Amino acid sequence: DVKVTQSSRYLVKRTGEKVFLECVQDMDHENMFWYRQDPGLGLRLIYFSYDVKMKEKGDIPEGYSVSREKKERFSLILESASTNQTSMYLCASSAYRIAEAFFGQGTRLTVV
Amino acid sequence: LAKTTQPISMDSYEGQEVNITCSHNNIATNDYITWYQQFPSQGPRFIIQGYKTKVTNEVASLFIPADRKSSTLSLPRVSLSDTAVYYCLVAPPGAGGYNKLIFGAGTRLAVHP
């Protein structure tokens, strides 16, 4: 079974902190994604990566950056956390059939 | 972008077959149709994907008419554990389709005893 593991299930951070969300997949997938999900807004793509060190901005990249130094790991960085970044963050990976993605269990981040 | 339209919510009872239809009138020639299931506080789970006609796996069937402007996810004999949100997506294979993986509002299915 494909496994996508996110480093934390729940996280509480203070406004202004730099926050790292880590995601690891074990299926040698080329593609990795970071989404956030908010009530009434659905899932929104933050960043996409199709290879090591390669990335594309999604719909809402502002306030976020990403790092992919190894194929299996994709990190989401909140440069200076703000309360409007309180959300559920979901990481996913896929092979060539990009829409056949496997999601992690999510990280519920609260910024206070 | 191929916009998808699906019902906001549906209700069913245990043991019934549930059919959720998704409309995607401007689907492109190389687009595939994909369905996901999401339980509360979990990430979406891939259910099934198809290009045309019918696809079946151990979880569901996907019916796609010849014009591909709609698709129907069929869940046979649902149980309470099938209560979830179901998303229909339309996107091409390959990394170039990354920005087409749009999860809309989905269909909230409630299965009653």
Side-chain angles (χ1 to χ4, degrees), chain A residues 12-27:
Chain A
V12 179
K13 295 292 181 180
R14 294 194 180 277
T15 301
E17 274 193 78
K18 191 168 185 175
V19 181
F20 294 85
L21 302 183
E22 307 285 346
C23 175
V24 176
Q25 51 98 358
D26 65 0
M27 282 301 290

Side-chain angles (χ1 to χ4, degrees), chain B residues 8-56:
Chain B
I8 295 293
S9 64
M10 292 181 70
D11 289 276
S12 184
Y13 292 91
E14 284 190 290
Q16 289 189 335
E17 178 184 73
V18 171
N19 295 308
I20 307 174
T21 296
C22 180
S23 170
H24 27 80
N25 289 318
N26 56 340
I27 187 169
T29 303
N30 59 346
D31 283 344
Y32 280 70
I33 299 154
T34 308
W35 285 81
Y36 283 83
Q37 174 192 56
Q38 186 178 26
F39 299 114
S41 300
Q42 292 187 27
R45 181 176 78 109
F46 170 86
I47 300 176
I48 198 165
Q49 185 179 79
Y51 183 78
K52 60 181 180 181
T53 62
K54 178 184 173 183
V55 180
T56 297

Side-chain angles (χ1 to χ4, degrees), chain A residues 4-97:
Chain A
V4 178
T5 304
Q6 294 184 229
S7 53
S8 303
R9 192 79 172 92
Y10 299 95
L11 213 51
V12 179
K13 295 292 181 180
R14 294 194 180 277
T15 301
E17 274 193 78
K18 191 168 185 175
V19 181
F20 294 85
L21 302 183
E22 307 285 346
C23 175
V24 176
Q25 51 98 358
D26 65 0
M27 282 301 290
D28 200 36
H29 284 166
E30 296 84 5
N31 305 308
M32 295 190 76
F33 309 77
W34 274 106
Y35 288 88
R36 64 177 282 179
Q37 185 170 27
D38 301 286
L41 296 175
L43 280 84
R44 292 179 290 167
L45 181 65
I46 306 172
Y47 268 100
F48 165 70
S49 171
Y50 55 93
D51 202 350
V52 173
K53 297 190 190 294
M54 307 306 289
K55 62 186 179 187
E56 295 284 352
K57 291 180 180 178
D59 299 318
I60 50 163
E62 297 78 20
Y64 304 95
S65 62
V66 289
S67 172
R68 193 162 179 205
E69 297 296 319
K70 292 185 178 181
K71 192 174 185 180
E72 67 271 18
R73 187 179 296 270
F74 193 32
S75 303
L76 180 69
I77 303 151
L78 285 67
E79 298 292 342
S80 177
S82 63
T83 54
N84 63 12
Q85 291 178 310
T86 291
S87 186
M88 170 71 96
Y89 288 88
L90 292 159
C91 174
S93 73
S94 72
Y96 171 70
R97 283 205 177 181

